[in-house]
Amino acid sequence: MDVLSDVVAFMRGGRPTSTRFSWRAPWGTWFRTADGSASFMLVLRGSCWFVPPDGEPVPLSVGDVVFLPHGDSFGLTDDPARTLAEADCGAHHELFGSAGTDGAGPETVVLAGGYRLDPARSHPILSSLPSVIHLPATLGSHSGLRAAVELLAAEIDNPRSGADVVVSSLLEMLQLYVLRAYFETQDEPCTLSGWAAALADPGIGRALDAVHRDPARHWTVEELGVRAGMSRAGFARRFAALVGQPPLTYLTWWRLMNGARLLRDSDASVAEVAERMGYASEFAFGNAFKRQFGVPPGRYRRRPAVA
């Protein structure tokens, strides 16, 4: 898997949920999202205002997508001056939930939902994102995102046989398309910083791709520098500046994160997980794992997972 796909699949816990809201003016709702959830909304019909946790309200129209990666509360309304009624995003756990109001004004239809994120699998790419990502439905831009939105709208408006699988898959795709579109619409590469710059940098991107494709390999800084087309010292400096960790520190962290995922999501023994993550022994893996997670692998496996 490429880096961004790998990271998105790694962070999620459980399947996404969604609720189709149909409002007729006057209306206004304030959503308090569940802890550990990233939220999204997309306008299927009509228009409305997005009220962020901080800052000025933002007008939304058909096809607009808003993504809140840190689970911040937010409001949606037909009039930004209106007092918003409380709602609870965490109360909607279905794939096809629905809610709304029956006013006399124009109709607005919004698909809102969330992705449960496992805090034990938090990737630094998440902390590099702003609290609100707004992607307007600009003609001709983000064709993949636009296609996913149109397919979702069609399935939600007219569910047919197999809709559960289709909608669940499209909701998962939507998160990746949103992040891809966000990183692609940042400023010119010379002004980027952090993970946006790391993903845009051809050399560092190749090194990250190598680590993600084969984390068990005993990579050296020199080998990764060759992949990046840079000298060992130059690569090490640039990698640490963009990613926030030295190359081998990130490699170790990524191995342990994947080891934790295998412990939770597979029946592989601790020894098998250790071997698959490139550790010479179960003992070495166990020591490194305990330093990272505070508990040995066996106890971690018995902990309740994120639903």
Side-chain angles (χ1 to χ4, degrees):
M1 298 175 73
D2 66 88
V3 177
L4 192 56
S5 300
D6 215 0
V7 167
V8 168
F10 170 79
M11 292 189 302
R12 277 202 304 261
R15 72 172 185 169
T17 59
S18 68
T19 301
R20 182 186 186 275
F21 292 93
S22 175
W23 291 293
R24 287 192 178 274
W27 62 273
T29 305
W30 183 258
F31 297 92
R32 299 193 182 278
T33 55
D35 292 339
S37 293
S39 304
F40 72 89
M41 64 224 64
L42 58 93
V43 182
L44 302 179
R45 188 180 308 153
S47 62
C48 61
W49 290 81
F50 169 77
V51 183
D54 297 299
E56 295 298 315
V58 179
L60 303 179
S61 57
V62 173
D64 280 15
V65 178
V66 178
F67 182 59
L68 290 84
H70 308 303
D72 295 278
S73 300
F74 65 93
L76 292 172
T77 181
D78 70 310
D79 183 347
R82 194 178 307 286
T83 300
L84 306 184
E86 290 280 346
D88 181 9
C89 275
H92 301 283
H93 298 293
E94 303 173 1
L95 184 59
F96 278 107
S98 62
T101 60
D102 295 319
E107 184 186 34
T108 296
V109 178
V110 173
L111 182 69
Y115 305 93
R116 187 70 173 164
L117 303 180
D118 188 341
R121 301 181 187 180
S122 180
H123 191 279
I125 200 171
L126 193 65
S127 62
S128 73
L129 299 174
S131 59
V132 176
I133 295 175
H134 174 213
L135 298 170
T138 306
L139 184 64
S141 66
H142 316 312
S143 58
L145 179 60
R146 300 275 74 78
V149 168
E150 290 173 5
L151 287 170
L152 266 172
E155 288 292 332
I156 294 294
D157 283 339
N158 183 28
R160 290 173 291 172
S161 178
D164 279 13
V165 174
V166 172
V167 171
S168 183
S169 299
L170 287 171
L171 289 173
E172 292 188 348
M173 289 169 55
L174 184 68
Q175 185 180 14
L176 184 54
Y177 277 125
V178 166
L179 293 179
R180 179 191 289 173
Y182 169 73
F183 284 119
E184 289 177 352
T185 54
Q186 295 307 286
D187 295 331
E188 292 301 315
C190 62
T191 66
L192 294 177
S193 61
W195 270 92
L199 294 175
D201 185 287
I204 301 303
R206 284 194 296 271
L208 282 167
D209 184 68
V211 166
H212 278 250
R213 289 183 184 277
D214 191 6
R217 179 170 171 171
H218 293 176
W219 293 103
T220 65
V221 176
E222 185 173 6
E223 287 175 325
L224 291 173
V226 170
R227 292 292 182 107
M230 303 170 67
S231 69
R232 181 186 185 281
F235 164 73
R237 284 194 301 270
R238 184 155 181 79
F239 188 100
L242 297 182
V243 175
Q245 296 176 307
L248 298 189
T249 301
Y250 180 81
L251 171 61
T252 298
W253 177 83
W254 186 242
R255 282 177 171 176
L256 293 172
M257 293 297 109
N258 276 280
R261 177 182 57 81
L262 286 172
L263 288 169
R264 284 276 171 81
D265 299 345
S266 77
D267 295 327
S269 68
V270 174
E272 289 171 332
V273 172
E275 182 179 2
R276 289 169 65 175
M277 290 300 102
Y279 282 85
S281 68
E282 181 179 344
F283 178 77
F285 173 70
N287 281 342
F289 193 93
K290 188 173 183 179
R291 283 195 299 271
Q292 177 66 42
F293 292 97
V295 295
R299 189 181 303 172
Y300 177 90
R301 169 173 264 167
R302 292 190 293 272
R303 281 181 174 178
V306 171

